[in-house]
Amino acid sequence: MVKIRGDYIGASFGDFILEPGYTTREHLPENIDITVDLAGMKIKPFIPAAMRAICDENFALEAAKSGLMPVVPRAYSVERQVKIIRYVKEREVRKGELEEVDDPIKLREDETLADALEKVNTYGHSNLPVVDKSGNFKGIFKYRQEYERELMQSPDMPVKNLMVPLEKTHYVVGEDRDEIKRKLEEENLRMLPVLEEIFDRQGKREYRLKKLVFRRQDDGYRIAAAIDTYPGWKGRVERVLEAGADMIFIDTSDCWNEFTESLMEEYKKRFEKPICVGNLVGEEAFRLFADLGADAIKVGMGSGSICTTSQVLRVGAAPMDALIRVTQARDRYYKETGRYIPVIADGGISDEADIIIALACADAVMLGKLFAAFEESAGRVIETGGEKYKEYWGEGSRRAFELTGDMKRYSLPKDSKYIIYQGVEGGVKLKGKLKPGVEHWVQTLKQTMMHVGAKNLKEYHEKAVLTRLTQRSAEKTGPHGILVED
Ligand code: IMP
């Protein structure tokens, strides 16, 4: 159970700092496992919010490929939900199976170390095939951390001098899948270039890169579907499960009510797939749904970056208060019953530091703003003042209303004269691609866990000691008293 020093009333993620713990060799980043077991599914603990500004076909597929579980928004028609789930499941590659990339990002051998590192950072690939001017395959550039240091001294070093040359790399010629599979397994490789033999004008043998083949390390592609609690939910559940959804998320702003309670009773009688209930903010609500068999519980109200609920209705909770209350309740419940119910922190997690603090208590975090900023999110790119932004808007905003024509999310009838918006529309600065972005979160989280002395999330929860900062010391967690160069 997370330990807290100091009063936490009214706290947010940024109000805390972690105490370091004793670190041994087994806590080095390469030995740390950051995945969470969500109802038997191993995923990265960052769940994209169930919002139309984030999740469409392309986003869902890219997220699933990166070991995440996207949640298809409930505000879509059931047909659109089914389409997105099918789109992902039809392309699924299971653990150990082969994933093919036909036109991978390449480096030319006369490009420099600086170019290579830029591509590694932009695309998140640590192995890049190298070709010559005519497009012939010459070797593989393999990212190593010491290159970051070398970059200072020799940014212009040609890739040719750094790559593992063709004669020293593993590869196959021709597309015999059995041979590819055998080679990957025998040599215990993650990736293999598939080449085609050609002869140039002088009759010299060269190789063309046909594709890269990877052996999938993560589980298969996971995808969940969000539902509301209105009549008709059963039909939606049947359709999305039939399409292949791995999990159902009850997506309400406040689930502590008789509608969600009776939905849960019925769901558990009829369906087997795991279900997450949310959102709630206190122990009593947690226990109600824990007893009804919730497979995960989502916490938070009024703290989302696009949310105005706490301003408009004055109902909600400080996000860390709610999370501490509910995760302490989760641990007590586990001691009493032996049933561990993962808790997902949702809303107001606005940077990596917030992710790290939230995961000291929660098993996973649901992120809206942070996923909306990636190129792959469903929102359009807007350019203003020379900067690129992605659209991002709340499911309770005017825009959401205009798209769907009702405010079911907030129990307002279709013909209501009074529309009480609880969200806003805006933009977030474009942040590049999802894969390297998520990898950065993973690496930062591992660094923190190393300092705390935790080799997995379970140990992180047990060992984390959070100190509540005063406003003055919170200000000193960043650079202060100096002129900062960007
Ligand atoms: P963020 O990560 O701070 O951007 O918050 C995302 C979360 O805000 C979502 O997962 C929802 O729980 C919540 N949310 C989405 N749309 C709205 C809205 O319009 N009003 C209030 N909360 C919302």
Side-chain angles (χ1 to χ4, degrees):
M1 195 175 300
V2 70
K3 291 169 205 70
I4 317 287
R5 296 209 199 290
D7 186 4
Y8 65 84
I9 293 172
S12 188
F13 309 106
D15 293 323
F16 290 92
I17 197 150
L18 279 154
E19 280 182 23
Y22 182 66
T23 303
T24 69
R25 218 168 257 118
E26 59 176 5
H27 304 124
L28 293 177
E30 63 266 29
N31 301 325
I32 293 178
D33 175 11
I34 56 93
T35 56
V36 57
D37 183 334
L38 207 62
M41 293 177 284
K42 280 220 143 211
I43 53 167
K44 296 199 175 92
F46 322 113
I47 302 178
M51 297 168 73
R52 285 169 291 176
I54 296 173
C55 186
D56 61 6
E57 284 79 353
N58 177 49
F59 176 88
L61 181 62
E62 290 307 315
K65 274 186 181 175
S66 295
L68 306 168
M69 181 164 69
V71 185
V72 187
R74 58 171 252 195
Y76 281 138
S77 66
V78 75
E79 288 74 26
R80 182 78 196 274
Q81 273 191 314
V82 163
K83 196 164 154 251
I84 295 175
I85 295 163
R86 290 225 171 101
Y87 187 80
V88 171
K89 286 293 177 178
E90 278 162 11
R91 288 160 181 76
E92 180 173 12
V93 178
R94 297 208 166 79
K95 191 171 183 157
E97 287 181 356
L98 305 186
E99 244 165 350
E100 298 186 3
V101 180
D102 286 332
D103 188 17
I105 304 293
K106 301 178 197 68
L107 277 170
R108 270 217 340 247
E109 56 182 0
D110 57 345
E111 282 188 280
T112 63
L113 174 59
D115 298 326
L117 293 188
E118 199 188 319
K119 280 192 181 162
V120 166
N121 280 329
T122 308
Y123 299 101
H125 306 315
S126 41
N127 294 307
L128 294 167
V130 181
V131 293
D132 68 10
K133 275 197 189 105
S134 324
N136 298 319
F137 179 78
K138 291 292 157 189
I140 301 271
F141 173 84
K142 295 192 172 190
Y143 173 81
R144 282 193 266 136
Q145 207 154 35
E146 55 256 40
Y147 288 157
E148 306 284 351
R149 256 177 283 128
E150 262 181 67
L151 185 64
M152 307 280 185
Q153 275 112 43
S154 17
D156 296 328
M157 167 97 72
V159 161
K160 194 176 180 164
N161 301 359
L162 299 162
M163 69 183 184
V164 183
L166 174 71
E167 51 291 1
K168 289 195 179 156
T169 51
H170 292 285
Y171 61 86
V172 288
V173 179
E175 295 188 43
D176 182 339
R177 280 183 78 83
D178 290 338
E179 192 192 341
I180 295 171
K181 231 177 165 162
R182 198 174 49 243
K183 191 136 192 169
L184 280 163
E185 274 160 25
E186 275 172 8
E187 307 288 342
N188 197 21
L189 302 169
R190 236 187 71 68
M191 184 271 288
L192 199 62
V194 175
L195 307 180
E196 178 190 19
E197 194 178 61
I198 55 158
F199 291 91
D200 69 9
R201 282 210 200 112
Q202 284 78 41
K204 191 175 157 225
R205 188 204 312 262
E206 292 285 0
Y207 293 97
R208 285 292 161 112
L209 180 66
K210 296 281 289 176
K211 61 177 94 169
L212 292 181
V213 179
F214 294 82
R215 199 154 48 134
R216 184 152 175 92
Q217 311 280 301
D218 289 315
D219 274 359
Y221 296 177
R222 301 298 184 197
I223 186 161
I227 58 163
D228 58 35
T229 57
Y230 290 90
W233 66 264
K234 261 174 268 164
R236 191 178 277 261
V237 168
E238 276 160 12
R239 297 274 306 275
V240 294
L241 291 184
E242 197 185 276
D246 294 293
M247 188 164 182
I248 298 294
F249 275 61
I250 302 179
D251 179 24
T252 71
S253 56
D254 167 16
C255 69
W256 197 17
N257 54 51
E258 65 174 276
F259 314 108
T260 317
E261 187 180 357
S262 55
L263 185 156
M264 272 300 285
E265 280 164 356
E266 184 129 18
Y267 184 93
K268 282 286 161 181
K269 278 188 223 143
R270 279 174 168 247
F271 303 103
E272 309 253 292
K273 285 277 177 193
I275 185 161
C276 172
V277 186
N279 283 11
L280 55 82
V281 296
E283 173 151 15
E284 227 178 304
F286 173 87
R287 285 195 169 251
L288 171 67
F289 294 109
D291 285 340
L292 286 171
D295 298 281
I297 279 186
K298 195 147 67 67
V299 174
M301 187 183 184
S303 53
S305 62
I306 28 56
C307 172
T308 53
T309 308
S310 352
Q311 258 180 358
V312 174
L313 306 182
R314 276 283 171 228
V315 189
M320 268 304 269
D321 284 30
L323 190 57
I324 291 168
R325 274 201 301 268
V326 175
T327 52
Q328 289 186 337
R330 169 202 65 195
D331 293 346
R332 279 193 287 273
Y333 193 82
Y334 176 58
K335 266 199 191 140
E336 288 164 29
T337 65
R339 211 164 84 78
Y340 185 86
I341 302 168
V343 166
I344 303 166
D346 177 24
I349 297 170
S350 41
D351 54 27
E352 261 170 0
D354 286 354
I355 294 180
I356 283 162
I357 294 297
L359 285 175
C361 311
D363 301 272
V365 287
M366 178 168 265
L367 309 170
K369 187 191 97 164
L370 290 179
F371 276 111
F374 291 134
E375 261 173 42
E376 293 86 346
S377 74
R380 284 172 307 186
V381 175
I382 322 157
E383 280 201 62
T384 161
E387 296 273 11
K388 285 187 175 164
Y389 295 84
K390 292 281 291 202
E391 296 176 308
Y392 182 43
W393 43 275
E395 284 296 348
S397 64
R398 177 188 289 271
R399 172 126 177 219
F401 173 79
E402 282 165 3
L403 276 170
T404 339
D406 69 32
M407 279 306 239
K408 257 166 72 183
R409 187 179 182 86
Y410 300 119
S411 313
L412 289 169
K414 224 181 165 90
D415 53 358
S416 171
K417 270 201 286 184
Y418 308 100
I419 302 169
I420 301 154
Y421 297 115
Q422 292 182 45
V424 292
E425 182 179 349
V428 279
K429 223 166 177 183
L430 180 66
K431 189 83 187 98
K433 290 200 170 287
L434 178 142
K435 189 175 171 218
V438 168
E439 194 50 33
H440 203 279
W441 301 343
V442 170
Q443 293 308 328
T444 314
L445 177 60
K446 284 188 173 185
Q447 289 284 326
T448 298
M449 288 168 68
M450 174 182 77
H451 285 290
V452 170
K455 58 179 189 301
N456 52 46
L457 285 177
K458 190 170 169 281
E459 273 190 23
Y460 188 39
H461 294 160
E462 281 159 10
K463 295 193 175 172
V465 181
L466 294 171
T467 301
R468 173 79 196 261
L469 299 166
T470 62
Q471 195 184 338
R472 200 181 286 254
S473 42
E475 281 161 16
K476 301 216 166 169
T477 56
H480 50 280
I482 59 159
L483 208 64
V484 183
E485 269 186 38
D486 234 1

